[in-house]
């Protein structure tokens, strides 16, 4: 006979006995595996967080170690009351100082207009035979092919729609007195860069500035509509440019003319004053980022190494904290009146957190700029010292990546051990269940035999 559930045949709770025997072998061991796996995964998380914080701090250090940070310049412009006339930007080649700038003339492109009486309607036919129109301004050129019988409106559309058009805008103007004018505006600025329109057929002379036939060309440029340079005056020196942007007319400066200067009360053109100085604001922002990332790094150290935390007692963290603090305290003898970074406004509280005193920083930047540069940059600067140390721990080949990988490998190994153990426990449970099942069948058989015997004896007695 067979039984469908342990204990049914024998009346004994064999299922509970089976579970208890498996639990004794399994539970403690599985919990030990899971605890160890959890510890390894916590280490992976901790090393990852520290690596991330360390790399953020490393970026701030690298920014401070960039000499370009300290060679940057700013241009601060004071405009006349009439409005903005120039914008000025400075690069590291600019010299500190101030400049007075006035604008005598803005650059402009040329404008051609057809003569009166040539066209009375936008539907007038321009050429009966057709031909090519070529538009040139400076070094730019493009050509459109005009079909026989093309109207003035169609020619305008061809010009504006040409994919090679370098900046020529064609328009039609009706004066209301029976005249329609073709106007061509060119974006190409600079003296000598007037728009020139030539053709391959004399019938197109009416929409050209150079005639092919014996007659006159239809387009002309008024004196005030000619292409012209921009002209500015910097500290009494007149400077021309083919565009409104003056690149390196003054070393390191880009000056853009925005509007022509109005005449001041003294009878002279109004000026804008531009002051060029070190870009101390960028230095300050970078130093504040350094302070912020340093504090965040040490907060991360505390989070994972305090009593009861996964990296409590870690020699790695103790070493990092000690070395970074030591680097921070570096004393310099080649930075003038500055001997440590605490002389430029860096302050440390009782908890080891850094802050930046803006007043002290501004004083140091104003009075000891070159010495500030010495403190941070170069082979012996504090940023270089820290950067050299940090690169051992960060990146894809750094110590923290190795430690994280090792912890992950250990976690994976323990996970595999746990799975193998649970497999063996499964086999053990299956063996026990089979034995208990056989025992249940045996006991059930004995119970049935005993019941039958008692029944037979009872029947005999009744006889």
């Amino acid at each position: 006979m067979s039984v469908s559930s342990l204990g049914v045949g024998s009346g004994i709770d064999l299922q509970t006995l089976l579970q208890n025997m498996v639990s004794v072998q399994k539970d403690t061991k599985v919990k030990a595996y899971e605890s160890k796996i959890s510890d390894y995964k916590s280490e992976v998380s901790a090393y990852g967080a520290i690596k991330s914080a360390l790399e953020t701090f490393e970026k701030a250090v690298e920014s401070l170690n960039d000499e370009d940070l300290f060679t940057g310049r700013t241009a601060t412009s004071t405009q006349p009351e009439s409005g903005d006339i120039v914008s000025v930007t400075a690069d590291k080649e600019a010299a500190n100082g101030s400049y007075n700038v006035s604008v005598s003339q803005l650059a402009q492109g040329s404008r051609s207009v057809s003569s009166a009486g040539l066209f009375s309607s936008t539907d007038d036919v321009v050429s009966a035979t057709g031909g090519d129109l070529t538009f040139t301004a400076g070094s730019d050129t493009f050509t459109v092919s005009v079909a026989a019988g093309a109207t003035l409106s169609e020619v305008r559309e061809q010009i504006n729609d040409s994919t090679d058009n370098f900046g020529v805008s064609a328009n039609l103007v009706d004066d209301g007195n029976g005249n329609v004018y073709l106007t061509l505006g060119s974006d190409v600025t600079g003296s000598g860069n007037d728009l020139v329109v030539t053709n391959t057929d004399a019938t197109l002379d009416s929409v050209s500035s150079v005639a092919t036939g014996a007659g006159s060309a239809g387009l002309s440029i008024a004196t005030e509509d000619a292409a012209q340079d921009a002209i500015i005056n910097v500290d009494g020196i007149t400077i021309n440019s083919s565009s409104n942007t003056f690149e390196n007319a003054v070393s390191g400066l880009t000056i853009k003319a925005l509007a022509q200067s109005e005449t001041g009360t003294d009878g002279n053109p109004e000026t804008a004053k531009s002051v060029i100085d070190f870009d101390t604001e960028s230095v300050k922002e970078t130093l504040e980022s350094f302070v912020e990332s340093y504090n965040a790094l040490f907060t991360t150290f505390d989070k994972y190494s305090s009593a009861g935390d996964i990296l409590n007692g870690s020699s790695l963290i103790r070493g990092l904290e000690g070395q970074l603090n030591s680097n921070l305290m570096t004393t310099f003898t080649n930075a003038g009146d500055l001997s440590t970074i605490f002389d430029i406004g860096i302050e440390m509280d009782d908890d080891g957190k850094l802050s930046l005193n803006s007043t002290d920083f501004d004083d140091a930047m104003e009075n000891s700029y070159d010495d500030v540069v010495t403190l941070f940059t170069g082979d012996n600067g504090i940023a270089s010292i820290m950067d050299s140390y940090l690169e051992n721990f960060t990146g894809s080949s750094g110590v923290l990546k190795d430690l994280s990988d090792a912890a992950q490998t250990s976690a994976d190994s323990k996970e595999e051990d746990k799975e193998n153990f649970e497999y063996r426990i499964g086999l053990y449970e299956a063996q026990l269940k089979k034995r208990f099942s056989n025992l249940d069948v045996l006991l059930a058989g004995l119970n049935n035999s005993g019941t039958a015997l008692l029944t037979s004896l009872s029947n005999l007695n009744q006889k």
Side-chain angles (χ1 to χ4, degrees):
M1 66 174 294
S2 63
V3 294
S4 59
S5 179
L6 289 179
V8 171
S10 64
I12 301 173
D13 190 359
L14 294 177
Q15 183 65 40
T16 299
L17 180 60
L18 172 65
Q19 292 172 347
N20 290 340
M21 291 181 68
V22 171
S23 178
V24 167
Q25 297 292 324
K26 177 182 179 181
D27 292 353
T28 301
K29 191 75 172 177
V30 168
K31 286 180 180 179
Y33 278 125
E34 290 176 343
S35 176
K36 201 63 180 175
I37 291 169
S38 177
D39 286 346
Y40 284 133
K41 288 184 176 180
S42 294
E43 285 185 23
V44 172
S45 177
Y47 288 133
I50 291 172
K51 180 174 178 286
S52 177
L54 207 58
E55 288 175 342
T56 299
F57 178 62
E58 184 180 35
K59 289 179 181 177
V61 170
E62 290 173 346
S63 295
L64 278 176
N65 196 30
D66 184 359
E67 290 188 359
D68 287 343
L69 171 67
F70 296 94
T71 57
R73 298 291 192 276
T74 58
T76 305
S77 297
T78 302
Q79 306 286 348
E81 291 184 2
S82 60
D84 293 358
I85 59 173
V86 294
S87 68
V88 181
T89 56
D91 62 28
K92 65 181 181 179
E93 301 301 327
N96 289 354
S98 63
Y99 303 88
N100 292 307
V101 185
S102 65
V103 179
S104 303
Q105 176 177 287
L106 291 177
Q108 71 175 26
S110 57
R111 179 173 177 268
S112 302
V113 181
S114 62
S115 301
L118 287 178
F119 305 105
S120 60
S121 168
T122 59
D123 294 327
D124 285 353
V125 174
V126 172
S127 171
T129 57
D132 292 341
L133 287 174
T134 298
F135 303 81
T136 303
S139 59
D140 296 311
T141 186
F142 74 97
T143 298
V144 297
S145 295
V146 179
T151 65
L152 187 61
S153 178
E154 290 171 340
V155 171
R156 170 187 172 274
E157 290 179 4
Q158 270 193 281
I159 296 170
N160 290 336
D161 294 343
S162 172
T163 57
D164 296 325
N165 191 325
F166 56 77
V168 174
S169 177
N171 288 289
L172 299 178
V173 179
D174 189 333
D175 68 0
N177 294 315
N179 293 303
V180 173
Y181 298 88
L182 172 65
T183 67
L184 300 176
S186 169
D187 289 343
V188 179
T189 60
S191 179
N193 289 331
D194 285 342
L195 179 65
V196 177
V197 185
T198 58
N199 63 65
T200 59
D201 191 281
T203 59
L204 292 171
D205 283 352
S206 60
V207 290
S208 302
S209 60
V210 177
T212 300
S216 300
L219 295 175
S220 61
I221 299 175
T223 302
E224 65 273 15
D225 290 334
Q228 64 184 28
D229 288 344
I231 303 174
I232 62 173
N233 186 288
V234 180
D235 290 343
I237 301 174
T238 299
I239 305 172
N240 286 54
S241 171
S242 61
S243 73
N244 286 319
T245 300
F246 295 74
E247 296 278 1
N248 290 317
V250 178
S251 297
L253 298 186
T254 297
I255 303 172
K256 185 174 183 180
L258 303 176
Q260 186 173 336
S261 295
E262 294 187 7
T263 302
T265 55
D266 60 357
N268 296 315
E270 291 182 328
T271 63
K273 182 176 182 179
S274 292
V275 177
I276 313 303
D277 202 352
F278 292 116
D279 186 5
T280 58
E281 193 59 34
S282 290
V283 176
K284 185 177 183 180
E285 290 175 359
T286 304
L287 193 55
E288 287 174 337
S289 177
F290 171 87
V291 167
E292 182 181 341
S293 59
Y294 177 92
N295 291 338
L297 175 61
F298 274 71
T299 297
T300 304
F301 286 159
D302 291 342
K303 178 179 179 180
Y304 293 102
S305 63
S306 299
D309 292 321
I310 191 64
L311 297 181
N312 177 244
S314 168
S315 59
L316 169 73
I317 293 183
R318 288 199 306 272
L320 280 167
E321 290 178 327
Q323 188 59 52
L324 290 176
N325 275 321
S326 176
N327 290 344
L328 205 63
M329 304 296 176
T330 301
T331 300
F332 296 85
T333 59
N334 61 337
D337 293 334
L338 307 179
S339 58
T340 73
I341 66 169
F342 299 101
D343 293 328
I344 65 169
I346 296 289
E347 297 177 347
M348 179 181 285
D349 64 19
D350 293 339
D351 295 324
K353 293 296 192 302
L354 300 182
S355 61
L356 180 63
N357 185 309
S358 294
T359 301
D360 292 346
F361 170 80
D362 292 341
D363 288 344
M365 296 298 282
E366 181 177 354
N367 300 316
S368 306
Y369 191 87
D370 290 341
D371 295 330
V372 173
V373 178
T374 301
L375 280 180
F376 285 104
T377 64
D379 294 338
N380 297 316
I382 189 170
S384 179
I385 294 171
M386 283 188 164
D387 195 20
S388 298
Y389 177 68
L390 292 172
E391 65 184 12
N392 296 312
F393 298 91
T394 58
S396 60
S397 58
V399 171
L400 285 166
K401 178 66 164 56
D402 292 342
L403 290 172
S404 179
D405 288 347
Q408 185 61 57
T409 298
S410 296
D412 294 341
S413 177
K414 282 298 177 185
E415 190 71 52
E416 186 177 349
D417 289 345
K418 174 175 169 284
E419 291 174 357
N420 290 336
F421 172 74
E422 289 178 330
Y423 174 74
R424 294 195 299 273
I425 284 295
L427 294 178
Y428 170 69
E429 182 177 4
Q431 291 173 351
L432 279 181
K433 189 171 184 178
K434 182 177 180 181
R435 291 176 182 177
F436 281 9
S437 180
N438 292 336
L439 175 62
D440 203 25
V441 170
L442 176 62
L443 291 176
L446 292 174
N447 284 339
N448 291 336
S449 298
T451 299
L453 179 59
L454 289 174
T455 300
S456 298
L457 290 175
S458 176
N459 291 334
L460 288 174
N461 289 333
Q462 290 177 358
K463 292 179 180 180

